[in-house]
Amino acid sequence: MKFDERYTLAIAELKRTPIVEGNYAPPLHRFLRGRGVRIKPPHYNSIGMNIVTTGAPFAILWGAIMWFILWQSQKLTPVMAIGAALVAGTIFGLFMALYYRWSFKQNALTKWDKLEPTSELETPKEVDNEDEAEAPSAQPETDATP
Protein backbone atom coordinates (compact mmCIF):
# COMPACT_ATOMS: atom_id res chain seq x y z
CA MET A 1 0.00 0.00 0.00
CA LYS A 2 1.25 3.48 -0.85
CA PHE A 3 2.16 5.99 1.86
CA ASP A 4 -0.58 8.46 0.87
CA GLU A 5 -3.26 5.76 1.02
CA ARG A 6 -2.10 4.64 4.46
CA TYR A 7 -1.94 8.29 5.60
CA THR A 8 -5.56 8.81 4.50
CA LEU A 9 -6.62 5.71 6.43
CA ALA A 10 -4.76 6.90 9.53
CA ILE A 11 -6.43 10.32 9.39
CA ALA A 12 -9.84 8.67 8.92
CA GLU A 13 -9.19 6.50 11.98
CA LEU A 14 -8.06 9.52 14.03
CA LYS A 15 -11.16 11.51 13.03
CA ARG A 16 -13.36 8.85 14.62
CA THR A 17 -11.66 9.31 18.00
CA PRO A 18 -12.12 12.12 20.51
CA ILE A 19 -8.64 13.41 19.58
CA VAL A 20 -8.84 16.99 18.26
CA GLU A 21 -7.46 17.75 14.79
CA GLY A 22 -4.76 20.09 16.07
CA ASN A 23 -3.39 17.18 18.04
CA TYR A 24 -3.15 14.62 15.23
CA ALA A 25 -2.31 17.21 12.56
CA PRO A 26 -0.15 19.80 14.35
CA PRO A 27 1.00 22.92 12.47
CA LEU A 28 4.51 21.59 11.78
CA HIS A 29 3.11 18.40 10.25
CA ARG A 30 0.66 20.35 8.08
CA PHE A 31 3.49 22.67 7.00
CA LEU A 32 5.78 19.76 6.07
CA ARG A 33 3.01 17.80 4.30
CA GLY A 34 2.15 20.92 2.32
CA ARG A 35 5.72 20.91 1.03
CA GLY A 36 5.64 17.26 0.01
CA VAL A 37 7.36 15.73 3.05
CA ARG A 38 6.03 12.28 3.86
CA ILE A 39 5.47 12.35 7.60
CA LYS A 40 3.09 10.13 9.54
CA PRO A 41 0.61 11.61 11.99
CA PRO A 42 2.35 11.88 15.39
CA HIS A 43 0.29 9.07 16.91
CA TYR A 44 1.82 6.67 14.37
CA ASN A 45 5.42 7.92 14.60
CA SER A 46 8.14 6.34 16.70
CA ILE A 47 9.05 7.90 20.04
CA GLY A 48 12.35 9.09 18.57
CA MET A 49 10.69 10.80 15.62
CA ASN A 50 8.19 12.51 17.93
CA ILE A 51 10.99 13.72 20.21
CA VAL A 52 12.66 15.34 17.19
CA THR A 53 9.51 16.75 15.52
CA THR A 54 8.14 18.26 18.74
CA GLY A 55 11.35 18.96 20.67
CA ALA A 56 13.37 20.70 17.95
CA PRO A 57 10.81 23.43 17.15
CA PHE A 58 10.22 23.95 20.87
CA ALA A 59 13.96 24.26 21.54
CA ILE A 60 14.42 26.80 18.74
CA LEU A 61 11.42 28.93 19.68
CA TRP A 62 11.90 28.76 23.45
CA GLY A 63 15.66 29.29 23.14
CA ALA A 64 15.22 32.39 20.96
CA ILE A 65 12.61 33.88 23.29
CA MET A 66 14.74 33.20 26.37
CA TRP A 67 17.82 34.66 24.66
CA PHE A 68 16.16 37.96 23.84
CA ILE A 69 14.15 38.29 27.06
CA LEU A 70 16.54 37.00 29.70
CA TRP A 71 19.77 35.28 28.80
CA GLN A 72 21.35 38.07 26.73
CA SER A 73 20.98 40.56 29.57
CA GLN A 74 22.41 37.99 32.00
CA LYS A 75 25.50 37.66 29.79
CA LEU A 76 24.88 33.94 29.28
CA THR A 77 27.24 32.52 26.66
CA PRO A 78 25.66 31.34 23.41
CA VAL A 79 26.99 27.82 24.02
CA MET A 80 25.22 27.63 27.38
CA ALA A 81 22.03 29.09 25.89
CA ILE A 82 22.04 26.52 23.08
CA GLY A 83 22.70 23.76 25.60
CA ALA A 84 19.81 24.88 27.81
CA ALA A 85 17.49 25.11 24.80
CA LEU A 86 18.48 21.62 23.66
CA VAL A 87 17.85 20.16 27.12
CA ALA A 88 14.47 21.89 27.34
CA GLY A 89 13.55 20.76 23.82
CA THR A 90 14.54 17.17 24.57
CA ILE A 91 12.48 17.09 27.76
CA PHE A 92 9.49 18.67 26.03
CA GLY A 93 9.85 16.29 23.06
CA LEU A 94 10.07 13.27 25.36
CA PHE A 95 6.89 14.23 27.21
CA MET A 96 5.06 14.87 23.94
CA ALA A 97 6.27 11.53 22.52
CA LEU A 98 5.07 9.74 25.64
CA TYR A 99 1.72 11.52 25.39
CA TYR A 100 1.30 10.45 21.75
CA ARG A 101 2.17 6.85 22.66
CA TRP A 102 -0.33 6.89 25.56
CA SER A 103 -3.01 8.45 23.34
CA PHE A 104 -2.37 5.81 20.66
CA LYS A 105 -3.01 3.04 23.17
CA GLN A 106 -5.88 4.83 24.93
CA ASN A 107 -7.78 5.20 21.65
CA ALA A 108 -6.92 1.66 20.46
CA LEU A 109 -5.49 2.89 17.16
CA THR A 110 -4.24 0.47 14.52
CA LYS A 111 -0.49 0.18 14.02
CA TRP A 112 0.76 1.95 10.88
CA ASP A 113 1.82 -1.27 9.16
CA LYS A 114 -1.54 -2.89 9.89
CA LEU A 115 -3.69 -0.11 8.41
CA GLU A 116 -5.70 -1.66 5.60
CA PRO A 117 -8.76 -0.34 3.77
CA THR A 118 -11.96 -1.63 5.32
CA SER A 119 -15.46 -0.30 5.14
CA GLU A 120 -15.03 1.03 8.68
CA LEU A 121 -11.86 3.00 7.85
CA GLU A 122 -12.99 4.25 4.45
CA THR A 123 -16.17 5.95 5.59
CA PRO A 124 -16.99 7.66 8.87
CA LYS A 125 -19.21 5.72 11.23
CA GLU A 126 -22.86 6.66 11.00
CA VAL A 127 -25.48 6.06 13.62
CA ASP A 128 -27.56 3.03 12.77
CA ASN A 129 -31.14 4.11 13.43
CA GLU A 130 -32.56 0.69 12.56
CA ASP A 131 -31.18 -0.79 15.78
CA GLU A 132 -32.79 2.00 17.79
CA ALA A 133 -36.16 1.40 16.15
CA GLU A 134 -36.08 -2.30 17.06
CA ALA A 135 -34.96 -1.72 20.63
CA PRO A 136 -37.72 -2.04 23.23
CA SER A 137 -39.14 1.22 24.41
CA ALA A 138 -38.57 2.31 27.99
CA GLN A 139 -42.20 3.46 28.20
CA PRO A 140 -44.86 0.83 28.67
CA GLU A 141 -47.28 0.47 25.81
CA THR A 142 -50.85 1.44 26.64
CA ASP A 143 -53.94 0.35 24.82
CA ALA A 144 -56.17 3.33 24.21
CA THR A 145 -59.15 1.24 23.02
CA PRO A 146 -61.83 0.28 25.60
Side-chain angles (χ1 to χ4, degrees):
M1 178 181 301
K2 293 181 181 178
F3 179 87
D4 291 333
E5 293 169 347
R6 193 161 276 154
Y7 181 86
T8 302
L9 292 172
I11 294 299
E13 184 177 49
L14 286 163
K15 283 183 179 181
R16 283 192 306 280
T17 67
I19 302 169
V20 296
E21 184 179 2
N23 195 303
Y24 63 76
L28 178 63
H29 283 245
R30 288 192 304 251
F31 175 80
L32 292 173
R33 290 231 3 117
R35 273 125 193 95
V37 176
R38 291 180 160 189
I39 187 166
K40 300 177 201 173
H43 291 82
Y44 297 91
N45 274 334
S46 67
I47 288 180
M49 178 62 88
N50 279 331
I51 290 173
V52 171
T53 59
T54 59
F58 178 86
I60 293 167
L61 184 62
W62 183 78
I65 290 169
M66 290 298 291
W67 176 258
F68 290 112
I69 291 176
L70 186 66
W71 292 339
Q72 193 174 20
S73 64
Q74 291 180 339
K75 307 289 187 222
L76 192 69
T77 65
V79 172
M80 289 190 66
I82 291 170
L86 288 175
V87 168
T90 302
I91 292 169
F92 177 81
L94 177 62
F95 278 105
M96 289 302 297
L98 292 174
Y99 163 74
Y100 284 126
R101 182 56 46 111
W102 171 82
S103 181
F104 180 89
K105 290 179 181 179
Q106 188 76 16
N107 291 287
L109 297 174
T110 308
K111 290 186 178 182
W112 181 260
D113 295 338
K114 306 275 188 211
L115 284 171
E116 294 292 331
T118 63
S119 60
E120 185 177 304
L121 288 178
E122 289 174 6
T123 58
K125 285 184 179 179
E126 294 183 19
V127 177
D128 190 7
N129 291 332
E130 291 177 19
D131 292 339
E132 291 176 8
E134 295 175 11
S137 173
Q139 299 175 354
E141 292 184 23
T142 57
D143 191 8
T145 57

